Amino acid sequence: MGCAICLAIVAVVGWVAYKLLTGKEKKLPQLDPHEWWGPEHLKGKVDETIRSFEVKFSDEMINDLRSRIKNHRPFTPPLEDVGFQYGFNSSQLDTWLQYWAEEYPFKERETFFNSYPQFKTSIQGLDIHFIRVKPEVPAGVKVVPLLLMHGWPGSVREFFEAIPLLTSQNPVYDFVFEVIIPSLPGYGFSDAAVRPGLGAPKVAVIFKNLMNRLGFKRFYIQGGDWGAAIASAMVTLYPNDILGHHSNMASARTSSTNLWTFIGAYFPSLVVESKLASRMYPLSAFFSFLLEETGYFHIQATKPDTVGVALSDSPAGLLAYILEKFSTWTSKENRDRLDGGLSTFTRVQLIDNLMVYWSTNSITTSMRLYAETFSKPIRDLKLESFTTPVPTWALQAKHEIAYQPPKLLKMKYTNLLGTTELDEGGHFLAFELPSIFAEDVFKAVQAFRNWNMARLLLLAALSIIAFTPIYFLYLRGSPPMPEINLNEWWGPDQMKGRVDASIRPFQVKFSEEMIKDLRSRLKNHRQLVPPLEGVAFEYGFNTKQVDRWVTYWAEEYPFAEREKVFNQFPQFKTNIQGLDIHFIRVKPKVASGKEVVPLLLLHGWPGSTREFLEAIPLLTAVSKDRDFAVEVIVPSLPGYGFSDAAVKPGLGADKMAVVFRNLMNRLGFKKYYVQGGDWGSLIASTMATFFPKEVLGYHANVVFLQTPAISFFTILGSIYPPLVVKSDVADRMYPLSKIFCNILEEMGYMHIQATKPDTVGVSLTDSPVGLAVYILEKFSTWTRMDHRSVADGGLAYRFSKEQLVDNLMMYWVPNAITTSVRLYSETLNKRFYSMQIDEIKTYVPTWVIQAKHDLTYLPPWLARLKYPNLIHETVLQDGGHFLAFELPKVFSEDVLQAITAFRVWHKENSVRADL
């Protein structure tokens, strides 16, 4: 069987290789040079002249900004002994915010911004802002045009120190630059598109048209970050217009470069010079760093409008979100520094850059570039697969996010004339090292001029047929059980041995002070960026829908009445391992003779104990048809709701499993049932794995396992689905392209929360509007994916406004958003995955219910690789990710059926054991 599978894989790989090698020559796509990005009613009516422009910081804007900074909410303290490993360290925020509000010289910096001539002109319906500096030179010195393009989270401000160096005569060269530095569309002072589609290749069209408008038919270009991507598109689309291409983030991402990168992991000398190999390898370290640093990328490529609301509303959040990039992208080591190494720049420089975003309210529109560029229409252009003959030069800083050697760059840029490898510098090179940057641009353009005048174009065609070894799947036994510390301490060290371990009553309280502050923040939110024309929730939460939620929360939500709803069931707190854990505990009223069994219900993110309030009465109801009744215990996860958060790193899902086992023991339960969805599912599964003699049964409404075997069979099923899944549910797994597309679309939040929770937490802590859209958007798309195309996000499909705002209150009142999202960082890491918990067989009887619209689906036979005693799967034709919240009756009935089955299973297995 194994041999047959291997042969099948070799055949498939061979067929793919044959198609790649014998495919027809691709035709370079032609983009519409007149595509209109402005309002339709302005077509043919715009002023296309070149108009002078000046930056202005109005007193109204300054006063509002200062007010918002000074009125920020208390920030969640950082964990002990961390620098910037969890994102921006909140202990550093106050000094930055104080500087911005009280010391930053707004009017003086306004004058600084206007120290170079600036202009606007309408290109394809958008007013494009640009700086243009013409040098004064003696006769015999040629002036050549140079287009400089910035990226995110930078701006035109990055080039201010380099401009005088580029526009002043250098005695070594017989030319000098006239520089044109535009703000990208949607960034700074350039208009944003009003409809979807303006990705990097289409920005390339705009900038080519801009240069033509300024009278330049042929010109040089330079770019980093998005500027590098746009420049790459320009040299691909317009090779006859570009005289030379300088990049400080040159990249070639093709099937060939990917193959060679992989080969280099085994034989680095085939790919890269030994002295530079550490910039690429080991691949595990590179991918780990990339994963750590690209959470922002993921969420901005999928939900820019969602994350944009909080960043638009909170200057503190914007500062943390952007400055954290200027920390870690300058040097990886800055993550270990308390101040994030931000002293590479002056404070005034970094706040200048923030002002470009804040004063123009352009953070949301800037981030849309990620969503537009990584959309299917732009990806289908496949510009990266086309080579370009334009002469190219790569400047590669030591601490840049990614490095590619000349061997790989030449696969895209066939005339790569040179590379400069620096032993210093990071991602923002023109900003960090303006002298080195400017000198390298001069050196590159000199090489371009020589090449254009004297060199012959050398064409080489290389056909590489490589068959790499196939390391195939083999099934193995369970990994060893990890060591479990039942007493690991998560609270302040000084409290060890001094905490109150009693079980204390607790009630939710909405103080007047909190309500007043919340209402003030809701009503005082900043003007939101309008959504693009004709979109619903495809870019995240549609800002047209925000006001009705804000109005409801601030003016209609009945705080006192909802406080009573929260307190309708008995609630308690008790200290477990240094943390006060909040929980609901409801005991059924039973007659003597009926057994009461304990059930632990565990929620996930962005849910809370609120998800179960409708289900609790159904679960605890006594029925004459059952010989048992259920007592429910519903805790808030540590760092969520009213449970304490850890004060030190490491409290991942596996450690929470220990906390909840100890909670159940504290309540007197040595044996119990567990149920969970989302994080609750993982924690409950881990409890069943770690404590199989205590957990009587595990019920899950989300089953997500990551093992080599499951990955292999999932991929195999994409070739022939009946091998893996029943036909009636095959559309929940296949085609993989659709499933992966949906996962990629929906998991940007996970990426950033797993890498930079404290960074994203600042704005969500400070802005209730931002928190609302960030969380509510998940209740839209995770209920049904097709809600992305519904104008109001389908939020009324299953939930009332009270229910959803109740859940928001569980994050806002205890200021728990930052500590809640840290769970991603604590779990999705090397420490957790090294335990291989998903591969440890768990013999506790298991029951799964899988909703039609949940994020993933796993066939029962694959789930049994982890849970051999999976006794039932309930397949729903309805429901989404928040099943107890959406369909409490269906959920409760399934849980009760599962407990009934678990009890029968234990009786039968007890009899077998006796025999």
Side-chain angles (χ1 to χ4, degrees), residues 80 105 134 171 207 261 352 355 361 401 410 456 514 566 571 587 599 615 682 706 714 720 725 760 839 868:
E80 293 176 358
K134 301 180 181 180
F207 285 159
T261 300
D352 280 350
M355 288 298 292
N361 198 8
I401 294 171
K410 286 179 180 177
L456 297 174
M514 179 278 295
F566 276 105
Q571 296 176 74
K587 301 179 181 181
L599 170 64
L682 178 56
Q706 291 178 297
T714 300
Y720 187 58
V725 63
V760 72
E839 296 185 62

Short mmCIF file of all heavy atoms in Angstrom, two decimals, residues 80 105 134 171 207 261 352 355 361 401 410 456 514 566 571 587 599 615 682 706 714 720 725 760 839 868:
data_model
loop_
_atom_site.label_atom_id
_atom_site.label_comp_id
_atom_site.label_asym_id
_atom_site.label_seq_id
_atom_site.Cartn_x
_atom_site.Cartn_y
_atom_site.Cartn_z
N GLU A 80 6.36 39.87 33.21
CA GLU A 80 7.64 40.10 33.87
C GLU A 80 8.81 39.75 32.95
O GLU A 80 8.79 38.72 32.25
CB GLU A 80 7.72 39.26 35.15
CG GLU A 80 6.73 39.69 36.22
CD GLU A 80 6.78 38.77 37.43
OE1 GLU A 80 7.57 37.80 37.40
OE2 GLU A 80 6.04 39.02 38.39
N PRO A 105 7.07 69.40 18.89
CA PRO A 105 6.79 70.79 18.45
C PRO A 105 6.01 70.81 17.14
O PRO A 105 6.57 70.89 16.05
CB PRO A 105 8.20 71.37 18.27
CG PRO A 105 9.05 70.18 17.92
CD PRO A 105 8.45 68.99 18.60
N LYS A 134 14.48 69.71 -7.32
CA LYS A 134 15.36 69.86 -8.48
C LYS A 134 16.69 70.47 -8.02
O LYS A 134 16.71 71.51 -7.36
CB LYS A 134 14.71 70.78 -9.52
CG LYS A 134 13.37 70.29 -10.04
CD LYS A 134 12.81 71.27 -11.05
CE LYS A 134 11.44 70.83 -11.58
NZ LYS A 134 10.89 71.78 -12.58
N PRO A 171 31.39 64.78 -6.06
CA PRO A 171 32.53 64.95 -6.97
C PRO A 171 32.94 63.68 -7.71
O PRO A 171 33.62 63.74 -8.74
CB PRO A 171 33.65 65.45 -6.04
CG PRO A 171 33.22 65.07 -4.66
CD PRO A 171 31.74 65.13 -4.67
N PHE A 207 2.13 55.39 -10.81
CA PHE A 207 3.40 56.09 -10.69
C PHE A 207 4.11 56.25 -12.04
O PHE A 207 4.81 57.23 -12.26
CB PHE A 207 4.30 55.39 -9.68
CG PHE A 207 3.88 55.61 -8.25
CD1 PHE A 207 4.27 54.76 -7.23
CD2 PHE A 207 3.07 56.70 -7.90
CE1 PHE A 207 3.88 54.98 -5.92
CE2 PHE A 207 2.67 56.92 -6.59
CZ PHE A 207 3.08 56.05 -5.61
N THR A 261 15.95 27.71 -2.68
CA THR A 261 16.00 28.03 -1.25
C THR A 261 15.90 26.75 -0.43
O THR A 261 16.62 26.57 0.56
CB THR A 261 14.86 28.99 -0.88
OG1 THR A 261 15.00 30.21 -1.63
CG2 THR A 261 14.88 29.32 0.61
N ASP A 352 7.21 62.25 13.69
CA ASP A 352 6.94 62.82 12.35
C ASP A 352 6.21 61.79 11.50
O ASP A 352 5.20 62.09 10.83
CB ASP A 352 8.25 63.18 11.65
CG ASP A 352 8.84 64.50 12.10
OD1 ASP A 352 8.16 65.25 12.81
OD2 ASP A 352 9.99 64.77 11.72
N MET A 355 2.71 61.23 12.50
CA MET A 355 1.85 62.35 12.12
C MET A 355 1.36 62.24 10.68
O MET A 355 0.26 62.69 10.36
CB MET A 355 2.59 63.68 12.32
CG MET A 355 2.77 64.07 13.79
SD MET A 355 1.20 64.33 14.66
CE MET A 355 0.62 65.82 13.83
N ASN A 361 -5.54 60.62 8.84
CA ASN A 361 -6.46 59.50 9.12
C ASN A 361 -6.34 58.43 8.03
O ASN A 361 -7.34 57.95 7.49
CB ASN A 361 -7.90 60.00 9.22
CG ASN A 361 -8.80 58.99 9.93
OD1 ASN A 361 -8.32 57.98 10.47
ND2 ASN A 361 -10.09 59.24 9.94
N ILE A 401 14.46 42.00 6.92
CA ILE A 401 13.55 40.90 7.26
C ILE A 401 13.93 39.62 6.51
O ILE A 401 13.88 38.52 7.07
CB ILE A 401 12.10 41.30 6.96
CG1 ILE A 401 11.68 42.44 7.89
CG2 ILE A 401 11.15 40.12 7.12
CD1 ILE A 401 10.35 43.06 7.55
N LYS A 410 18.80 36.84 -9.58
CA LYS A 410 18.96 36.86 -11.05
C LYS A 410 17.91 36.04 -11.77
O LYS A 410 17.74 36.17 -12.98
CB LYS A 410 20.36 36.35 -11.41
CG LYS A 410 21.46 37.36 -11.11
CD LYS A 410 22.84 36.80 -11.45
CE LYS A 410 23.91 37.83 -11.14
NZ LYS A 410 25.28 37.31 -11.40
N LEU A 456 26.77 44.69 -23.43
CA LEU A 456 25.88 43.90 -24.26
C LEU A 456 24.98 43.07 -23.35
O LEU A 456 25.41 42.57 -22.31
CB LEU A 456 26.68 42.97 -25.18
CG LEU A 456 27.59 43.65 -26.20
CD1 LEU A 456 28.41 42.59 -26.92
CD2 LEU A 456 26.78 44.44 -27.19
N MET A 514 -17.15 53.62 35.17
CA MET A 514 -16.80 52.88 33.95
C MET A 514 -17.77 53.19 32.83
O MET A 514 -17.37 53.43 31.69
CB MET A 514 -16.78 51.37 34.25
CG MET A 514 -16.44 50.48 33.05
SD MET A 514 -17.84 50.13 31.94
CE MET A 514 -18.89 49.18 33.03
N PHE A 566 -26.10 39.03 33.87
CA PHE A 566 -24.82 38.39 34.18
C PHE A 566 -24.85 37.72 35.55
O PHE A 566 -24.19 36.70 35.76
CB PHE A 566 -23.69 39.43 34.15
CG PHE A 566 -23.14 39.68 32.78
CD1 PHE A 566 -23.44 40.83 32.08
CD2 PHE A 566 -22.30 38.75 32.16
CE1 PHE A 566 -22.94 41.06 30.81
CE2 PHE A 566 -21.79 38.97 30.90
CZ PHE A 566 -22.11 40.13 30.21
N GLN A 571 -22.00 32.93 40.91
CA GLN A 571 -20.62 33.07 40.43
C GLN A 571 -19.67 33.13 41.62
O GLN A 571 -20.03 33.58 42.70
CB GLN A 571 -20.48 34.34 39.59
CG GLN A 571 -21.32 34.30 38.32
CD GLN A 571 -21.24 35.59 37.54
OE1 GLN A 571 -20.23 35.86 36.90
NE2 GLN A 571 -22.28 36.39 37.60
N LYS A 587 -25.98 24.33 40.15
CA LYS A 587 -26.35 22.98 40.59
C LYS A 587 -27.82 22.72 40.27
O LYS A 587 -28.67 23.57 40.55
CB LYS A 587 -26.11 22.84 42.08
CG LYS A 587 -24.67 23.08 42.52
CD LYS A 587 -24.52 22.93 44.03
CE LYS A 587 -23.09 23.19 44.47
NZ LYS A 587 -22.94 23.02 45.94
N LEU A 599 -19.98 18.93 34.87
CA LEU A 599 -19.58 19.23 33.49
C LEU A 599 -18.84 20.57 33.47
O LEU A 599 -19.40 21.59 33.89
CB LEU A 599 -20.81 19.30 32.58
CG LEU A 599 -20.58 19.84 31.16
CD1 LEU A 599 -19.66 18.91 30.36
CD2 LEU A 599 -21.92 20.02 30.44
N ALA A 615 -27.56 28.34 27.35
CA ALA A 615 -27.49 26.87 27.39
C ALA A 615 -27.54 26.33 28.81
O ALA A 615 -27.97 25.18 29.03
CB ALA A 615 -26.21 26.39 26.71
N LEU A 682 -9.29 22.94 22.71
CA LEU A 682 -7.89 22.53 22.86
C LEU A 682 -7.55 22.27 24.33
O LEU A 682 -6.87 21.30 24.68
CB LEU A 682 -6.97 23.60 22.29
CG LEU A 682 -5.46 23.34 22.41
CD1 LEU A 682 -5.08 22.01 21.79
CD2 LEU A 682 -4.66 24.47 21.78
N GLN A 706 -3.36 18.97 14.31
CA GLN A 706 -2.25 19.17 13.38
C GLN A 706 -1.22 18.06 13.60
O GLN A 706 -0.46 18.09 14.56
CB GLN A 706 -1.59 20.53 13.63
CG GLN A 706 -2.46 21.71 13.23
CD GLN A 706 -1.78 23.02 13.54
OE1 GLN A 706 -1.50 23.35 14.70
NE2 GLN A 706 -1.51 23.80 12.51
N THR A 714 -5.18 14.70 4.30
CA THR A 714 -5.96 15.84 3.81
C THR A 714 -5.51 16.22 2.41
O THR A 714 -6.34 16.48 1.53
CB THR A 714 -5.79 17.04 4.77
OG1 THR A 714 -6.26 16.67 6.07
CG2 THR A 714 -6.58 18.24 4.28
N TYR A 720 -8.40 12.85 -4.61
CA TYR A 720 -9.58 11.98 -4.72
C TYR A 720 -10.31 12.01 -3.38
O TYR A 720 -10.05 11.19 -2.49
CB TYR A 720 -9.15 10.56 -5.09
CG TYR A 720 -10.33 9.64 -5.40
CD1 TYR A 720 -11.23 9.97 -6.42
CD2 TYR A 720 -10.53 8.47 -4.68
CE1 TYR A 720 -12.30 9.14 -6.70
CE2 TYR A 720 -11.59 7.63 -4.95
CZ TYR A 720 -12.48 7.98 -5.98
OH TYR A 720 -13.55 7.16 -6.26
N VAL A 725 -13.16 11.55 2.84
CA VAL A 725 -14.35 12.14 3.43
C VAL A 725 -15.60 11.70 2.68
O VAL A 725 -15.56 11.47 1.46
CB VAL A 725 -14.23 13.69 3.43
CG1 VAL A 725 -14.16 14.24 2.02
CG2 VAL A 725 -15.34 14.35 4.22
N VAL A 760 -1.11 44.89 19.32
CA VAL A 760 -2.49 45.08 18.87
C VAL A 760 -3.40 45.37 20.06
O VAL A 760 -4.43 46.05 19.94
CB VAL A 760 -2.99 43.86 18.07
CG1 VAL A 760 -3.25 42.66 18.96
CG2 VAL A 760 -4.23 44.19 17.27
N GLU A 839 -0.43 14.28 18.84
CA GLU A 839 -0.07 12.92 18.43
C GLU A 839 -0.10 11.93 19.60
O GLU A 839 0.16 10.75 19.40
CB GLU A 839 1.31 12.94 17.78
CG GLU A 839 1.34 13.75 16.48
CD GLU A 839 2.68 13.66 15.79
OE1 GLU A 839 3.06 12.54 15.41
OE2 GLU A 839 3.34 14.70 15.64
N PRO A 868 -8.98 7.38 19.84
CA PRO A 868 -9.42 6.03 19.42
C PRO A 868 -10.83 5.70 19.87
O PRO A 868 -11.53 4.92 19.23
CB PRO A 868 -8.39 5.10 20.07
CG PRO A 868 -7.20 5.96 20.32
CD PRO A 868 -7.72 7.33 20.61
#
